[in-house]
């Protein structure tokens, strides 16, 4: 009954650094960094920032699903915690520095991740999915019914633009704030997440997670404290998803409890799955694919839910854990293999 | 403090009655979900979406039937027999097409694929009936026509009593089907060992389509019965998807008895919760779900068969 996922290739570190992937990564980063300055296109920059926030969240989510083999249907709790931490710390404590806000958001999400993780790691498969769903839904109800008197219920709360290391960037006009400053913060955050996870998931820690996913009993027998590692995986995942949420909160400027609802969890799962939960970069591609598909569908029809549902259905039945990124990789391999034979 | 009037006998009676009514609706929405999982090993997240569909179909039918008949008996027949029958045929077609490939994949992927089905159904409903809430017109609304009676000072809706009665009939009917009929016994055997039943030369696909369509039809029946007393909105689907999962988890996946008991528990919790602690009424339901999964993951009756 265990979820079948492919094993990840165990690439040596030195090999990795000489890889073409590092070079293309740097080129892509530079191109993306220059993009708003050259095009001055606010719509595209906003869309890209949006995609990158969710790319961070989807990568964070995939630590639990792709690497540890647990389907969580409650990651909206961490995304929402990140968002609400930013807005509440800003509003209640008056802290207005972006870096401090992001760190606090990650810590808070990590704490929520530790609690939800500790309560749910003993369960498996659908029970894990349903338990994380129920726990996240409790948090959603807390925010909707405004039980602490902080969240203002469904009305939500506005988010003002934070400063950066004492530099009053918030005084810039909204357009320049996004094009010249905020976009680059999110880009750096995404790059940092990718680099961090690339190393963490290839470290003994990451390999242990994969071992638990592949064979829990064997991991237990070789002395791995399985449950504790699952909690670690939830905490790391929650912190990164919380970072994505915190960055997104500042981008959209207004947050509501909807971001804590289970349909939000579903969207994060959807993104990771679309890109490929069995691949490292899949979730990034998935976030981009999901948001662009949604924008495209919305421009043609108001019935974009149907389009998204159909895509999800087809992806689950055809590409499964490979997603579009894994599918594309297989396609490229097939083509190069055929060339090699000729 | 709770005002003294809130503790009065009519009040408690009224809320017990409402709890039974909630329980009836929850039973309709979730019994099929647990049967399809228990017998056919399909975890269909989109199950309760058919509850929402039933609600919309019922509003549309009742609002267009006025020219033909307004007699209460005819309206009730439409809600209890005609709509579920139509949905039964639709579900059979869907089982052969959309749901057929889902039986062979792992539960986690079933959950995700059927989440996609919810999204699709959501927009199909919006396309046909629009996104704004719609409700049944007074002239053809059986709940208005049936009125209320006074029982020990509490005002009891005749229509709601009828819904509770239908739920009881439905539960008894399902129990008898599983215990007395051949199809029911085959279904029980399938929940034990699907492949063995297949090897005995029984057409399992036919039984599968029957169980699936029956399950979906019961969900639609619930939606149809729910709507004269409420409004049909897209949010109904999402609410009942969550609640039906709470019911089957608390009761135990795959257990008919579990669904009945859990529906009663959640129905009562919601009814008295709304009266005494309205802010956290829904939170209690999810807290219960959390406690059950942590303490007894198999649910109250999940370690037993479908009908034991």
């Amino acid at each position: 009954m265990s979820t079948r996922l492919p094993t990840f290739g165990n690439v040596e570190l030195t090999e990795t650094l000489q890889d073409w992937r590092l070079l293309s990564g740097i080129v892509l980063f530079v191109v993306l960094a220059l993009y708003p300055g050259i095009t001055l296109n606010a719509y595209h920059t906003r869309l890209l920032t949006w995609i990158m926030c969710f790319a961070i969240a989807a990568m964070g989510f995939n630590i639990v699903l792709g690497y540890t083999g647990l389907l969580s249907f409650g990651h909206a709790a961490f995304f929402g915690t990140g968002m609400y931490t930013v807005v509440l710390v800003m509003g209640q404590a008056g802290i207005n520095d972006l870096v401090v806000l992001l760190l606090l958001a990650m810590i808070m999400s990590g704490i929520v991740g530790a609690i939800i993780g500790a309560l749910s790691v003993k369960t498996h498969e659908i029970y894990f999915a349903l338990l994380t769903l129920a726990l996240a839904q409790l948090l959603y109800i807390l925010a909707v019914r405004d039980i602490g008197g902080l969240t203002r219920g469904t009305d939500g709360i506005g988010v003002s633009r934070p400063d950066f290391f004492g530099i009053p960037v918030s005084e810039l006009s909204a357009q320049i704030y996004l094009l010249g400053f905020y976009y680059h913060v999110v880009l750096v955050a995404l790059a940092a997440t990718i680099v961090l996870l690339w190393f963490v998931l290839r470290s003994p820690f990451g390999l242990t997670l994969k071992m638990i996913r592949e064979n829990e009993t064997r991991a237990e027998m070789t002395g791995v404290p399985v449950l504790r590692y699952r909690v670690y995986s939830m905490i790391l995942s929650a912190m990164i998803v919380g970072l994505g949420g915190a960055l997104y909160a500042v981008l959209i400027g207004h947050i509501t409890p909807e971001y804590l609802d289970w349909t939000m969890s579903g969207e994060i799962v959807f993104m990771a799955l679309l890109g490929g939960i069995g691949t490292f970069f899949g979730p990034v591609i998935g976030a981009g694919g999901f948001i662009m598909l949604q924008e495209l569908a919305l421009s043609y029809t108001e019935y974009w839910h149907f389009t998204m549902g159909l895509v999800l259905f087809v992806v689950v039945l055809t590409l499964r854990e490979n997603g579009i990124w894994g599918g594309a990789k297989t396609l490229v391999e097939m083509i190069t293999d055929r060339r090699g034979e000729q | 403090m709770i005002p003294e009037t809130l503790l009065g006998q009519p009040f408690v009676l009224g809320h017990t009655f409402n709890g039974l009514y909630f329980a009836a609706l929850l039973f309709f929405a979730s019994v099929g979900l647990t049967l399809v999982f228990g017998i056919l090993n399909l975890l269909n997240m989109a199950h309760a979406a058919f509850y929402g569909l039933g609600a919309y179909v019922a509003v549309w039918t009742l609002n267009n039937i006025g020219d033909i008949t307004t007699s209460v008996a005819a309206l009730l027949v439409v809600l209890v027999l005609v709509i579920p029958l139509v949905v039964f045929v639709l579900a059979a077609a869907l089982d052969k097409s959309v749901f057929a490939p889902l039986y062979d994949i792992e539960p986690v992927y079933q959950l995700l694929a059927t989440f996609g089905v919810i999204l699709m159904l959501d927009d199909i409903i919006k396309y046909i009936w629009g996104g704004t809430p719609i409700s049944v017109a007074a002239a053809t609304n059986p709940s208005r026509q049936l009125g209320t009676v006074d029982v020990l000072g509490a005002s009891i809706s005749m229509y709601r009593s009828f819904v509770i009665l239908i739920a009881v009939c439905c539960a008894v009917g399902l129990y008898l089907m599983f215990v007395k009929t051949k199809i029911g016994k085959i279904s029980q055997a399938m929940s034990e060992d699907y492949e063995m039943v297949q090897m005995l030369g029984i057409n399992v696909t036919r039984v599968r389509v029957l169980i699936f369509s029956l399950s979906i039809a019961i969900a639609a029946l619930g939606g149809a019965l729910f709507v004269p007393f409420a409004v049909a909105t897209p949010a109904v689907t999402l609410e009942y998807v969550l609640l039906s999962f709470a019911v089957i988890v608390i009761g135990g996946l795959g257990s008919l008895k579990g669904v009945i008991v859990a529906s009663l528990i959640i129905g009562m919790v919601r009814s008295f919760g709304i009266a005494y602690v309205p802010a956290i009424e829904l939170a209690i339901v999810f807290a219960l779900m959390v406690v059950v999964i942590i303490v007894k993951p198999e649910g109250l009756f999940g370690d037993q068969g479908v009908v034991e």
Side-chain angles (χ1 to χ4, degrees), chain A residues 3-4 71 126-127 130 134 137-138 141 145 147 262 269 277 303-306 309-310 312-313 316 320-321, chain B residues 43 98 105-106 108-109 112-113 115-116 119-120 122-123 127 238 242 245 249 253 278-280 283 286 289 297:
Chain A
T3 311
R4 275 194 311 274
L71 171 65
I126 46 172
Y127 288 103
L130 294 174
Q137 213 58 22
L138 281 174
I141 293 167
R145 302 283 161 94
I147 287 171
W262 69 281
V269 181
I277 53 169
Y303 304 108
W304 63 277
H305 265 165
F306 186 87
L310 190 63
L312 178 59
F313 190 81
V316 170
R320 213 65 73 81
E321 69 275 357
Chain B
L43 193 60
V98 176
I105 62 177
E106 290 151 52
V108 166
Y109 286 117
L112 294 171
F115 182 64
L119 293 175
M120 287 192 270
D122 188 39
D123 260 5
Y127 180 76
L238 296 182
L242 278 182
F245 269 104
V249 164
L253 297 182
I280 55 160
F286 290 111
M289 184 174 166

Side-chain angles (χ1 to χ4, degrees), chain A residues 186-204:
Chain A
V186 179
L187 179 62
V188 169
L190 175 61
T193 305
I194 290 174
V195 172
L196 177 82
L197 290 187
W198 179 270
F199 287 109
V200 167
L201 294 172
R202 272 164 184 72
S203 70

Side-chain angles (χ1 to χ4, degrees), chain A:
Chain A
M1 284 282 283
S2 85
T3 311
R4 275 194 311 274
L5 296 162
T7 40
F8 291 76
N10 185 10
V11 187
E12 286 295 322
L13 250 169
T14 45
E15 233 175 276
T16 312
L17 291 170
Q18 291 158 0
D19 205 324
W20 58 271
R21 276 178 287 194
L22 181 65
L23 193 69
S24 49
I26 292 170
V27 171
L28 189 66
F29 180 82
V30 173
V31 170
L32 280 173
L34 294 173
Y35 185 82
I38 293 169
T39 61
L40 293 175
N41 187 328
Y43 171 72
H44 282 168
T45 307
R46 199 181 157 75
L47 192 66
L48 275 172
T49 317
W50 180 15
I51 289 173
M52 291 190 297
C53 291
F54 277 96
I56 294 171
M59 280 204 100
F61 168 76
N62 204 37
I63 299 169
V64 171
L65 179 56
Y67 286 84
T68 320
L70 294 167
L71 171 65
S72 154
F73 235 88
H75 263 56
F78 313 135
F79 196 81
T81 302
M83 295 182 97
Y84 272 101
T85 306
V86 167
V87 70
L88 291 179
V89 170
M90 244 175 161
Q92 309 289 325
I95 295 172
N96 201 30
D97 194 289
L98 184 60
V99 178
V100 178
L101 291 171
L102 292 181
L103 283 175
L104 286 174
M106 288 177 78
I107 292 167
M108 273 310 290
S109 303
I111 293 170
V112 176
I115 296 169
I116 293 185
L119 287 170
S120 51
V121 287
K122 272 189 193 162
T123 57
H124 296 270
E125 291 267 311
I126 46 172
Y127 288 103
F128 184 83
L130 294 174
L131 184 51
T132 46
L133 170 75
L135 286 165
Q137 213 58 22
L138 281 174
L139 214 61
Y140 166 75
I141 293 167
L142 222 65
V144 162
R145 302 283 161 94
D146 197 6
I147 287 171
L150 292 168
T151 62
R152 291 193 220 151
T154 46
D155 293 344
I157 317 171
V159 187
S160 51
R161 292 196 295 271
D163 290 330
F164 189 67
F165 282 127
I167 307 163
V169 279
S170 60
E171 286 160 21
L172 296 167
S173 79
Q175 187 111 326
I176 296 170
Y177 186 83
L178 175 71
L179 286 171
F181 167 69
Y182 198 63
Y183 169 84
H184 293 96
V185 171
V186 179
L187 179 62
V188 169
L190 175 61
T193 305
I194 290 174
V195 172
L196 177 82
L197 290 187
W198 179 270
F199 287 109
V200 167
L201 294 172
R202 272 164 184 72
S203 70
F205 172 75
L207 296 176
T208 311
L209 293 185
K210 288 179 207 168
M211 182 187 186
I212 293 170
R213 179 198 66 202
E214 291 302 319
N215 193 333
E216 193 192 325
T217 323
R218 190 174 296 166
E220 191 93 61
M221 288 303 163
T222 48
V224 174
V226 170
L227 296 182
R228 207 194 301 161
Y229 267 83
R230 281 193 175 145
V231 177
Y232 293 158
S233 143
M234 280 290 275
I235 294 173
L236 179 64
S237 173
M239 287 175 82
I240 292 169
V241 173
L243 173 67
L247 289 166
Y248 187 63
V250 178
L251 177 72
I252 54 164
H254 186 263
I255 63 171
T256 55
E258 261 175 65
Y259 295 104
L260 284 164
D261 196 18
W262 69 281
T263 46
M264 183 70 222
S265 300
E267 280 186 14
I268 298 174
V269 181
F270 190 161
M271 288 176 194
L273 193 86
L274 180 66
I277 53 169
T279 64
F280 180 76
F281 286 107
V284 179
I285 310 291
F290 179 93
I291 290 163
M292 286 194 286
L293 196 69
Q294 184 178 319
E295 284 289 295
L296 190 73
L298 267 171
S299 63
Y300 285 109
T301 163
E302 61 179 301
Y303 304 108
W304 63 277
H305 265 165
F306 186 87
T307 320
M308 304 308 282
L310 190 63
V311 169
L312 178 59
F313 190 81
V314 171
V315 167
V316 170
L317 283 180
T318 55
L319 295 166
R320 213 65 73 81
E321 69 275 357
N322 292 317
I324 43 179
W325 181 244
K329 279 208 304 204
T330 320
L331 199 68
V332 169
E333 270 165 30
M334 268 165 59
I335 293 166
T336 45
D337 276 5
R338 200 174 292 171
R339 271 202 200 134
E341 281 167 24
Q342 278 170 359

